[in-house]
Amino acid sequence: EPEVTQTPSHQVTQMGQEVILRCVPISNHLYFYWYRQILGQKVEFLVSFYNNEISEKSEIFDDQFSVERPDGSNFTLKIRSTKLEDSAMYFCASSEQGASSYEQYFGPGTRLTVT
Amino acid sequence: DAKTTQPTSMDCAEGRAANLPCNHSTISGNEYVYWYRQIHSQGPQYIIHGLKNNETNEMASLIITEDRKSSTLILPHATLRDTAVYYCIVRRYGGATNKLIFGTGTLLAVQP
């Protein structure tokens, strides 16, 4: 069964460093998402991406964050200058279409630890 | 999107049916009910969704009341691997947003 994959599974970085989290969505999916979950808290939406553009972003997704689909398979989340409060699990998701009748499939997540 | 209310936690004996309730009394006619679950530290997993009619797939059944103000997710024969947080989410059909808004969910503990 096709699945969303994410690398690395765990990333440790120092405050102020740039990190890039990588995702390979399901191959025929057109919509891509990033969510994050701070330890012990809810899963929070960050951004959705379609047709090489951001279609929606949350207030968490400020200028320090960016997303890119550099080729036909990868979808990346970049944090330009990490802060301690960026420590969280980051989940990538994809869906075949964007309408709410289409389910989103999530990857296993990348645990980001900022020290 | 309409808000949902779920119990914080529930227990279920292994092999028995787990019935997880969700209240969505302010749901609109064009909003779907979705269920996801999250096994500890893993990514959320889609389970099932419905609009008006009851739905069944290989994982679960979804029973939506006639007035659509509440629903129940049924895992027919719960196993220890079904221990997870279960999220009931309401999403508007054709809305401007397609994000999922997660609440705190129900922690289902399946007991041996």
Side-chain angles (χ1 to χ4, degrees):
Chain A
E1 185 175 321
E3 57 183 21
V4 177
T5 59
Q6 292 185 241
T7 53
S9 57
H10 190 189
Q11 174 91 48
V12 181
T13 190
Q14 289 191 323
M15 197 166 50
Q17 296 296 304
E18 174 183 287
V19 293
I20 297 176
L21 309 183
R22 291 183 166 80
C23 168
V24 178
I26 294 173
S27 63
N28 64 332
H29 286 188
L30 301 177
Y31 287 77
F32 315 115
Y33 314 84
W34 284 101
Y35 292 79
R36 81 170 185 190
Q37 186 175 31
I38 295 170
L39 186 63
Q41 298 188 22
K42 298 177 190 179
V43 177
E44 301 173 287
F45 167 79
L46 291 178
V47 65
S48 60
F49 190 85
Y50 169 70
N51 199 26
N52 281 320
E53 286 185 347
I54 290 174
S55 48
E56 185 177 5
K57 60 182 180 180
S58 72
E59 56 188 34
I60 302 169
F61 194 89
D62 61 22
D63 292 344
Q64 293 299 310
F65 291 88
S66 62
V67 288
E68 192 179 32
R69 188 153 163 82
D71 53 44
S73 58
N74 290 285
F75 179 52
T76 61
L77 174 70
K78 183 195 292 186
I79 309 175
R80 229 176 305 280
S81 176
T82 50
K83 303 189 277 277
L84 293 176
E85 54 265 37
D86 293 326
S87 294
M89 283 289 287
Y90 287 81
F91 297 108
C92 173
S94 68
S95 64
E96 194 175 331
Q97 296 286 342
S100 58
S101 56
Y102 287 87
E103 57 270 28
Q104 295 179 19
Y105 292 90
F106 286 75
T110 292
R111 179 174 300 282
L112 177 65
T113 302
V114 182
T115 61
Chain B
D1 291 337
K3 287 190 177 176
T4 62
T5 305
Q6 298 178 253
T8 305
S9 63
M10 291 181 66
D11 286 348
C12 176
E14 190 177 18
R16 304 298 293 267
N19 296 285
L20 293 99
C22 179
N23 184 291
H24 31 79
S25 57
T26 60
I27 194 169
S28 300
N30 60 354
E31 289 181 316
Y32 282 84
V33 180
Y34 270 78
W35 283 84
Y36 280 77
R37 72 180 182 184
Q38 187 176 26
I39 297 169
H40 181 63
S41 294
Q42 297 182 23
Q45 178 189 21
Y46 166 79
I47 302 173
I48 199 167
H49 73 280
L51 184 61
K52 288 189 226 183
N53 300 320
N54 298 337
E55 302 287 344
T56 294
N57 63 20
E58 64 278 3
M59 284 183 72
S61 294
L62 173 61
I63 309 298
I64 302 174
T65 57
E66 197 168 331
D67 63 8
R68 300 185 71 243
K69 292 187 176 183
S70 65
S71 61
T72 301
L73 178 74
I74 301 172
L75 307 178
H77 305 287
T79 70
L80 298 177
R81 287 179 295 181
D82 292 321
T83 292
V85 178
Y86 287 77
Y87 300 100
C88 170
I89 299 171
V90 173
R91 294 174 72 201
R92 184 170 303 159
Y93 176 82
T97 180
N98 49 24
K99 66 186 177 191
L100 291 167
I101 301 174
F102 289 84
T104 51
T106 296
L107 173 58
L108 175 70
V110 180
Q111 308 290 346

